[in-house]
Amino acid sequence: MKLVAAIAAAALLAGCGGGGGDQASAAADACEAYAKSQLGDKAYTLDKAVLAKSMTTATDGSKQLRGPIIVDPGTSAESKQTLECSVRFVDGKPAPDVLKMQFIW
């Protein structure tokens, strides 16, 4: 019976994920939401997994993310750019604050 409880507890913990990966995913989600608000009705493609993997910590403690974004994909107005995003995590808030975002041509 103890073995079953131990296996169940291990499965539950594995399902919760790690802190770093969750933080990178939350940062990528916040960056995408901000990018979407800046692009308005324009279509875009953004690989959030690439964005999340790029996360680094700046000297001021903010998190920096960088990844490719394609605005208006598949149209004559298609534009391949690089999205740079800076976020800050605040204790007690599930999502980080976006400090700065740039679309680099």
Side-chain angles (χ1 to χ4, degrees), residues 13-105:
L13 289 174
C16 292
D22 288 345
Q23 195 175 55
S25 180
D29 288 344
C31 290
E32 182 190 29
Y34 194 84
K36 186 175 185 175
S37 74
Q38 296 300 302
L39 293 170
D41 292 337
K42 291 184 179 182
Y44 66 92
T45 58
L46 174 66
D47 188 339
K48 287 196 302 184
V50 169
L51 197 61
K53 284 183 183 181
S54 76
M55 189 172 82
T56 59
T57 303
T59 56
D60 66 357
S62 65
K63 305 294 183 183
Q64 310 296 314
L65 295 89
R66 180 182 175 104
I69 185 170
I70 302 172
V71 180
D72 291 326
T75 70
S76 61
E78 180 176 289
S79 175
K80 294 181 181 180
Q81 302 179 34
T82 299
L83 177 71
E84 287 187 348
C85 182
S86 176
V87 301
R88 175 185 56 218
F89 285 89
V90 178
D91 288 338
K93 282 184 71 177
D97 296 325
V98 175
L99 303 174
K100 178 180 164 185
M101 176 171 288
Q102 293 184 36
F103 295 93
I104 300 172
W105 297 79

